[in-house]
Amino acid sequence: EDDHLNPTDFSNEVNKIYPVEVGLHAALVIWLFVHWEITLLLMNVPYLAFTIMMFLDKSYHVDAATVYTKDFKKGAKQKVLISLIFFGIMFCVYLASMVSTLIAVGSKK
């Protein structure tokens, strides 16, 4: 909350980052589909739909005039918390998947 960016710079930076996040997540989902990782694909599709929905209706867009309002802070905290929980869970799932694959490959030798 005690940042050193003015609202205009903050909104410009955030508005540039979000389309990149959506694009990278879409690329991950396409990669999971191509390699037919059905469990991981099904876990990622709902969050991708959430981010695409926000992208299409421009609700991710940060307006410099609303940065210091309570509604913006509440909404931003909620979106960040959802993303943090999702990516934290997915990190653990990807790590467990990698370990199980390494164990399976190591036991075949």
Side-chain angles (χ1 to χ4, degrees):
E1 293 181 350
D2 292 333
D3 64 344
H4 299 287
L5 285 175
N6 64 40
T8 305
D9 291 340
F10 173 75
S11 62
N12 288 338
E13 291 299 317
V14 171
N15 291 336
K16 283 187 231 175
I17 291 171
Y18 195 77
V20 174
E21 178 187 348
V22 174
L24 289 173
H25 198 187
L28 172 69
V29 169
I30 291 169
W31 185 84
L32 291 171
F33 180 75
V34 168
H35 292 283
W36 202 243
E37 297 287 340
I38 191 71
T39 306
L40 298 176
L41 179 68
L42 292 175
M43 291 176 78
N44 276 282
V45 166
Y47 184 77
L48 180 63
F50 172 72
T51 57
I52 288 175
M53 180 187 66
M54 284 179 45
F55 183 76
L56 292 178
D57 67 6
K58 300 275 188 202
S59 64
Y60 76 93
H61 187 75
V62 177
D63 183 23
T66 63
V67 168
Y68 290 121
T69 63
K70 287 185 180 186
D71 291 337
F72 172 77
K73 288 182 180 181
K74 183 179 178 184
K77 284 181 184 178
Q78 182 180 12
K79 290 174 189 172
V80 168
L81 188 61
I82 289 170
S83 297
L84 182 64
I85 290 170
F86 173 77
F87 286 118
I89 290 170
M90 291 311 296
F91 174 77
C92 294
V93 169
Y94 293 142
L95 186 62
S97 176
M98 182 186 71
V99 168
S100 67
T101 300
L102 289 174
I103 290 172
V105 169
S107 67
K108 288 182 181 179
K109 288 183 178 182

